[in-house]
Amino acid sequence: MNSSIEHIDDKARREFSRYGRTVVHRGELLRHPVYTRILHWSVAITFILSLLSGFAIYSPWLYRWLTPLFGGGAMTRFLHPWFGLAFNIFFFFQFLNWFAPMHWTNADSRWMRRLKAYATNRQKVESEDTGFFNGGQKIYFWAIVVSAILFLITGIPLWFDDVVPRWLVAVSYVLHDIAALVMLGGFILHIYEGTAAQPGTFRSMTDGTVTKEWAWTHHPAWYEEVTGRDAREDYEAARDEHEDARGE
Ligand code: HEM
């Protein structure tokens, strides 16, 4: 199954690269091809629309502020399941696209044990076994997979609440809202990690590229895989150069 998924994804990546461009300058590496970027932003837009329309339905206070965005209360209720369905479809393709690099490895378990040092920014460079995605990114991905499935199986009874038993609607409400809260927490952390916490990350989802320095800092094993160079040696050379330039 794995190789047939890879085959479909390779074809999609090639097709999409014909319509959009990724320019890789000297000193940079290709991180996310056009296909991945289009999927990522389609997932993000449909997720935000689902979240805002969902909150409007959920809370009377937010209802007043948010429903005008979608053309009123009735329209918000009508649109929310469609936004959710679109989110699930786009994320399904992203799931196939990232299925292989999101496999959990021993390096990810070791990464989890260093979580405190990561969160407090105590380490300047990631440990050398950190690959294309780190353990935290993989947990976020798998949390979305579980939440997306939960959204779908609880969203259908809520959509057709006049034909399903009351108890099923009640249970679906609770599970749907728990999934939404987990996703909201993950989303806030994700934006922080993808922008302010790690400068140079955001451009990987716009231009598709990152600097080599970013790669050896945050994903050394991936850097070694694509460049064939030693990440620690390159880090130390850059640090010495920097210190020489400052006259230390
Ligand atoms: C709207 C604000 C968002 C920003 C600024 C943002 C930014 C980014 C960036 C820069 C990356 C690449 C990270 C890397 O290459 O290491 C990324 C990856 C990813 N994004 Fe987003 N994203 C946003 C919204 C979302 C949403 C709404 C979802 C899903 C609900 C999502 C799911 C993911 C996943 C699963 C990854 C791969 C794993 C990870 O890097 O955590 N993103 N995002």
Side-chain angles (χ1 to χ4, degrees):
M1 175 179 134
N2 225 338
S3 67
S4 53
I5 293 177
E6 266 305 297
H7 181 72
I8 299 169
D9 285 330
D10 278 346
K11 201 165 161 243
R13 285 183 208 116
R14 270 199 312 275
E15 283 294 315
F16 275 75
S17 297
R18 288 186 8 215
Y19 300 105
R21 279 195 323 152
T22 309
V23 181
V24 185
H25 296 283
R26 189 192 291 265
E28 295 175 353
L29 297 173
L30 169 68
R31 176 99 176 137
H32 297 299
V34 179
Y35 179 57
T36 301
R37 273 139 54 203
I38 290 180
L39 283 180
H40 177 269
W41 292 117
S42 305
V43 167
I45 290 167
T46 48
F47 174 78
I48 291 165
L49 289 173
S50 308
L51 196 71
L52 292 179
S53 55
F55 273 130
I57 298 167
Y58 175 78
S59 150
W61 183 76
L62 288 169
Y63 188 86
R64 260 186 52 214
W65 305 100
L66 292 172
T67 49
L69 284 178
F70 301 102
M75 199 56 177
T76 308
R77 273 173 204 283
F78 169 78
L79 287 174
H80 177 74
W82 290 104
F83 291 148
L85 200 59
F87 161 76
N88 262 44
I89 293 169
F90 287 128
F91 188 71
F92 175 70
F93 284 101
Q94 190 66 292
F95 169 76
L96 297 182
N97 185 33
W98 275 342
F99 186 70
M102 289 296 181
H103 268 127
W104 195 261
T105 63
N106 289 338
D108 300 316
S109 304
R110 287 193 290 275
W111 188 93
M112 288 309 292
R113 289 197 281 274
R114 296 189 304 271
L115 187 60
K116 201 169 163 205
Y118 178 84
T120 49
N121 284 330
R122 249 193 287 137
Q123 42 185 32
K124 279 208 175 71
V125 283
E126 275 283 356
S127 147
E128 38 219 50
D129 54 3
T130 307
F132 190 85
F133 287 124
N134 64 39
Q137 291 177 297
K138 291 185 186 179
I139 287 187
Y140 181 51
F141 174 81
W142 289 105
I144 301 172
V145 173
V146 173
S147 304
I149 295 170
L150 210 56
F151 278 140
L152 195 66
I153 54 180
T154 57
I156 290 168
L158 294 175
W159 202 352
F160 303 103
D161 58 350
D162 45 348
V163 293
V164 292
R166 292 303 311 155
W167 68 265
L168 185 59
V169 174
V171 172
S172 298
Y173 253 119
V174 176
L175 294 178
H176 206 77
D177 294 351
I178 291 175
L181 289 177
V182 169
M183 287 285 281
L184 176 65
F187 176 52
I188 293 169
L189 257 178
H190 178 65
I191 294 187
Y192 172 66
E193 289 297 335
T195 56
Q198 291 184 0
T201 307
F202 185 64
R203 53 177 282 187
S204 71
M205 271 302 167
T206 51
D207 301 357
T209 60
V210 287
T211 62
K212 286 189 174 166
E213 187 181 343
W214 182 93
W216 53 244
T217 306
H218 300 293
H219 300 274
W222 172 61
Y223 174 79
E224 298 196 358
E225 196 185 305
V226 287
T227 62
R229 296 180 58 84
D230 189 304
R232 174 130 308 252
E233 261 175 30
D234 286 357
Y235 159 65
E236 281 166 3
R239 189 193 52 195
D240 294 346
E241 217 173 273
H242 190 66
E243 281 171 3
D244 284 348
R246 285 193 349 207
E248 284 173 12

